[in-house]
Amino acid sequence: MAVEEEGLRVFQSVRIKIGEAKNLPTYPGPNKMRDCYCTVNLDQEEVFRTKIVEKSLCPFYGEDFYCEIPRTFRHLSFYIFDRDVFRRDSIIGKVAIQKEDLQKYHNRDTWFQLQHVDADSEVQGKVHLELRLSEVITDTGVVCHKLATRVLECQGLPIVNGQCDPYATVTLAGPSRSEAKKTKVKKKTNNPHFDEVFYFEVTRPSSYNKKSQFDIEDVDEVDKMEIRVDLWNASNLKFGDEFLGELRLPLKFLRQSSSYEAWYFLQPRDNGNKSLKPDDLGSLRLNVVYTEDHVFSSDYYSPLRDLLLKSADVEPVSASAAHILGEVCREKQEAAIPLVRLFLHYGRIVPFISAIASAEVKRTQDPNTIFRGNSLTSKCIDETMKLAGMHYLQVTLKPIIDEICQVHKPCEIDPVKLKDGENLENNRENLRQYVDRIFTVITKSGVSCPTVMCDIFFSLRESAAKRFQGDPDVRYTAVSSFIFLRFFAPAILSPNLFQLTPHHPDPQTSRTLTLISKTIQTLGSLSKSKSANFKESYMATFYDYFNEQKYADAVKNFLDLISSSGRRDHKSIEQPILLKEGFMIKRAQGRKRFGMKNFKKRWFRLTNHEFTYQKSKGDHPLCSIPIENILAVERLEEESFKMKNMFQVIQPERRVLYIQANNCVEAKDWIDILTKVSQCNKKRLTVYHPSAYLNGHWLCCKATADNTPGCTPCTGGLPANIQLDIDGDRETERIYSLFNLYMPKLEKMQEACGSKSVYDGPEEEEYSTFIIDDPKETYKTLKLIIEGVGTLEQEHAQYKRDKFKKTKYGSQEHPIGDKSFQTYIRQQSEISAHSI
């Protein structure tokens, strides 16, 4: 979800690898071990939770998490919890990275020391205040100074233990006095509107002889005073109200202006306690990739986008803009992700991959090493398979992967690793059955393989067969090196990375999947001496089960089917595809004439056929909504039920299902995928009610009839293709950012082209890393890239300058205390000074 600014969309996303924790403090009991999990939080809002690793002080998680960030935030935080069966889970420590510091750790494995967590430091949100210092002349002709403090509203306060009933205290404090006042409690909202004014007498009455001036004695007193605003959550617990954040403002700044109104970020409270050393709590290994793309309207990107899209037609392809991006990026994966998404969006992925694959095949000398390196070709095909083949994996592998994760059959075949009571032959048989079932389901799934993958495989097969005409198997190995080695085998090995399981499997299951993956990979490789592929003797022995010609024949038939042009009539898959599932809270729809419309926790399940909910996972559905009956999916305003992260699924006859997701990221995911899957419904609504129908009227437009048409236009249409919901302009902006980042390499590549053109001797070492087949054509393309990037860079700089002029520090968008905006102001000041 993009945040709209003037003529520009801002996208935020984060990709996180949660590695492991080390040296956590021991549990104060005889066992000393802990059962720990890690959460990912935007400020205080949890958006992801890892599995629990039991009985360890050095838990390994190995989990990946990606999300689009739908709101502003100040900190990306990670909390390590210790599970407690009988009480609330306890926090061991946290890592909090300020938003403006995320680039320091961009795409680097980093160990972070865990910090202590206390209620006084866990704050988020902002407060809107108005302060007015005025003189009051009494009836007796004396003057005193009064301070009016108006607390207007707060936004984004944290939700504590599932609820937020905030109030504010306002305190005027000085060396010799302290006077406090309190607002009313606002129930069930983390965006409270107070609009209450409090008056404080600042100075003692004095003779009215110095209008608008303080006596000398009073000036000293005022300079030492401060106004403090504390936000609290009214709690029913015996522990008392929870601190949400504070703001301290010295009164001396009001001497410059008698009235001041602004937004402020709430700050943590210094409780004066001395915390333990950070290393007492252990450390956490993380890899964080945060991106923020500022995307202009489509016409801004035309020159660069057109240059990229014609890459497949450039001769040689190494002189194309897309290939050059792969040459200058530090990692091929960096270039492959936006390139693949851009080419998929514009329907150019097959000719582009065909062109770069053909060029790579021509450079390959040994057919046994074809497509085995981490080249731009292999990374682009990997990314295409991930995007286009995700639901193909769901259909083929998910049912049996789920069974393996749930049943926990012993499958260890290494005699050294056998547990007490396990039988080696039984384990081999269990493993053999799993391998046989997975092999069968893969080799019979050719008809379900996505068209775009089949077209790419056809191109690979043709290029390889033409290059190595004396090798009859190369047409198979060129395809199997992707579909088996880089698609099915990795998905079996790490199902969580392919959305087949929510978390990294437990150690026993992970070991079983490793053994299955190794066997499937070898079966798919079609190499001559299979047993020799295994370093471990127990794997070579186990593989003897599969040394039959029928397995090789099945692989070849499967590879023939998925790499043959015009092989079949592409029909939709009849089997329902599970798209998303999980617990959420729903409000009764009023299907029964008599009954309370209360809120209940239910397990929701979405397939490409229907949207259902039941009491628990695996139960019979209590309600089923066919996809064709979903007329709109929209957010629900918080005021409706005083609950955050709510959305509505609108059905025929104005029936509405109100649902609350667990957090803002999950709410966005559900809204997006429900919208996409129902996008082609013929009776989709064009207008809706953003609030609920309560107490005889719609809260949004006040209409009294429950069948009144909506008062707000439905959100814009999205592509109906669930797998490939891509924003072409955003991907072009990402590519621009990469070119801009690696501009020194582009310039170095220009130098290399010049050197090659005029000097046909041994290459300089710094130039040898680039693939340059035609220096003149490559130089032309580089010149166009640098010009296009320079133009976009100027547009971004102008936009920042214009925004800088319009933006007020202390506004709702940039509250006082916004460090990222302060940094930006400093940078702009330096730029202005430099230009002067």
Side-chain angles (χ1 to χ4, degrees), residues 12 147 188 233 252 255 259 269 527 585 676 703 794:
Q12 301 177 101
L147 174 69
K188 294 183 178 179
N233 179 45
K252 59 184 177 183
R255 291 174 58 205
S259 176
R269 180 172 59 181
S527 56
I585 294 170
K676 290 170 204 165
Q794 288 174 9

Side-chain angles (χ1 to χ4, degrees), residues 162-200:
Q163 58 102 37
C164 189
D165 297 336
Y167 68 90
T169 60
V170 183
T171 306
L172 179 67
S176 57
R177 61 181 290 195
S178 179
E179 184 181 355
K181 300 184 179 183
K182 175 184 169 184
T183 68
K184 295 175 183 175
V185 175
K186 298 294 180 179
K187 292 284 187 180
K188 294 183 178 179
T189 177
N190 69 334
N191 298 314
H193 287 261
F194 296 111
D195 203 4
E196 295 188 43
V197 183
F198 303 99
Y199 294 95
F200 298 92

Side-chain angles (χ1 to χ4, degrees), residues 109-125:
D109 275 11
T110 307
W111 283 97
F112 293 90
Q113 295 292 334
L114 290 173
Q115 306 293 325
H116 283 275
V117 176
D118 60 76
D120 290 334
S121 68
E122 299 296 283
V123 303
Q124 73 175 53

Side-chain angles (χ1 to χ4, degrees), residues 27 68 141 169 192 211 280 294 313 338 345 416 486 519 621 632 653 671 678 692 742 795 799 817 825:
Y27 185 76
E68 298 282 332
T169 60
K211 187 176 180 182
D280 289 344
H294 296 254
D313 305 320
H345 182 70
V416 178
R486 305 178 82 112
T519 313
E653 300 175 5
I671 292 168
S678 61
Y742 293 109
E795 295 291 351
Y799 176 83
I825 289 174

Side-chain angles (χ1 to χ4, degrees), residues 408-477:
H408 289 102
K409 280 186 182 178
C411 294
E412 182 54 70
I413 58 172
D414 182 355
V416 178
K417 294 181 180 178
L418 277 185
K419 294 179 182 176
D420 291 342
E422 286 186 357
N423 180 280
L424 185 60
E425 284 306 314
N426 288 346
N427 287 9
R428 278 181 183 154
E429 180 59 21
N430 290 338
L431 185 63
R432 188 194 65 78
Q433 288 180 13
Y434 278 146
V435 170
D436 241 340
R437 287 173 60 192
I438 287 180
F439 178 81
T440 302
V441 82
I442 288 173
T443 52
K444 290 187 180 300
S445 70
V447 73
S448 304
C449 186
T451 306
V452 68
M453 288 171 60
C454 294
D455 291 342
I456 289 169
F457 295 149
F458 172 72
S459 173
L460 299 181
R461 171 186 175 133
E462 293 296 295
S463 295
K466 186 177 178 181
R467 172 76 174 85
F468 300 102
Q469 296 180 12
D471 189 330
D473 288 333
V474 75
R475 60 191 178 130
Y476 294 116
T477 55

Side-chain angles (χ1 to χ4, degrees), residues 747-760 767 772 775-776 779 782:
E747 292 167 348
K748 188 68 70 179
M749 200 170 180
Q750 268 193 322
E751 292 176 18
C753 289
S755 174
K756 275 199 162 194
S757 296
V758 299
Y759 177 62
D760 197 20
Y767 299 152
I772 302 173
K776 288 184 180 178
Y779 188 89
L782 282 163

Side-chain angles (χ1 to χ4, degrees), residues 414-701:
D414 182 355
V416 178
K417 294 181 180 178
L418 277 185
K419 294 179 182 176
D420 291 342
E422 286 186 357
N423 180 280
L424 185 60
E425 284 306 314
N426 288 346
N427 287 9
R428 278 181 183 154
E429 180 59 21
N430 290 338
L431 185 63
R432 188 194 65 78
Q433 288 180 13
Y434 278 146
V435 170
D436 241 340
R437 287 173 60 192
I438 287 180
F439 178 81
T440 302
V441 82
I442 288 173
T443 52
K444 290 187 180 300
S445 70
V447 73
S448 304
C449 186
T451 306
V452 68
M453 288 171 60
C454 294
D455 291 342
I456 289 169
F457 295 149
F458 172 72
S459 173
L460 299 181
R461 171 186 175 133
E462 293 296 295
S463 295
K466 186 177 178 181
R467 172 76 174 85
F468 300 102
Q469 296 180 12
D471 189 330
D473 288 333
V474 75
R475 60 191 178 130
Y476 294 116
T477 55
V479 178
S480 69
S481 64
F482 286 104
I483 194 71
F484 279 103
L485 272 65
R486 305 178 82 112
F487 187 63
F488 283 122
I492 295 165
L493 183 66
S494 304
N496 56 305
L497 301 184
F498 292 80
Q499 281 82 60
L500 295 174
T501 59
H503 299 298
H504 188 74
D506 61 80
Q508 181 184 328
T509 305
S510 186
R511 173 66 176 162
T512 299
L513 294 174
T514 299
L515 296 171
I516 295 171
S517 178
K518 279 185 174 184
T519 313
I520 291 294
Q521 182 173 318
T522 307
L523 278 167
S525 68
L526 291 171
S527 56
K528 306 292 188 294
S529 177
K530 302 258 174 119
S531 299
N533 287 350
F534 298 107
K535 289 180 276 187
E536 309 93 339
S537 59
Y538 61 84
M539 282 299 299
T541 304
F542 173 69
Y543 197 82
D544 287 340
Y545 285 121
F546 304 98
N547 260 331
E548 295 181 37
Q549 188 59 35
K550 67 175 183 178
Y551 289 102
D553 291 343
V555 170
K556 287 185 176 180
N557 289 338
F558 170 67
L559 295 175
D560 279 333
L561 181 59
I562 65 171
S563 62
S564 299
S565 180
R567 70 202 183 288
R568 67 179 193 275
D569 178 28
H570 309 305
K571 294 181 180 178
S572 61
I573 301 164
E574 290 301 317
Q575 183 178 348
I577 301 169
L578 177 64
L579 302 175
K580 190 170 177 64
E581 60 182 344
F583 274 115
M584 292 190 288
I585 294 170
K586 66 97 188 175
R587 182 177 185 260
Q589 300 181 74
R591 289 178 293 135
K592 297 178 182 177
R593 187 170 180 182
F594 302 103
M596 294 179 64
K597 290 188 177 181
N598 54 358
F599 289 89
K600 291 182 179 177
K601 189 175 183 179
R602 294 288 182 256
W603 181 264
F604 284 81
R605 196 169 188 271
L606 174 67
T607 71
N608 59 334
H609 291 184
E610 61 182 355
F611 182 45
T612 62
Y613 62 77
Q614 50 250 40
K615 281 191 175 181
S616 299
K617 185 176 182 178
D619 288 355
H620 186 74
L622 298 172
C623 174
S624 172
I625 304 171
I627 295 301
E628 56 268 26
N629 282 359
I630 297 177
L631 306 185
V633 184
E634 299 287 347
R635 291 187 178 275
L636 187 72
E637 290 180 354
E638 185 185 332
E639 65 170 353
S640 298
F641 301 108
K642 305 295 183 188
M643 296 167 72
K644 285 178 69 69
N645 305 318
M646 289 202 70
F647 62 95
Q648 50 185 318
V649 179
I650 305 170
Q651 305 156 64
E653 300 175 5
R654 301 288 170 184
R655 181 178 291 159
V656 184
L657 175 60
Y658 296 121
I659 303 172
Q660 183 188 33
N662 294 316
N663 56 63
C664 64
V665 171
E666 193 172 297
K668 177 188 179 299
D669 288 347
W670 276 106
I671 292 168
D672 283 353
I673 198 162
L674 281 163
T675 302
K676 290 170 204 165
V677 79
S678 61
Q679 189 66 39
C680 292
N681 290 349
K682 294 177 181 177
K683 296 182 180 179
R684 278 189 65 85
L685 299 179
T686 55
V687 290
Y688 77 106
H689 291 285
S691 292
Y693 183 82
L694 294 174
N695 302 323
H697 69 277
W698 291 100
L699 297 180
C700 42
C701 59

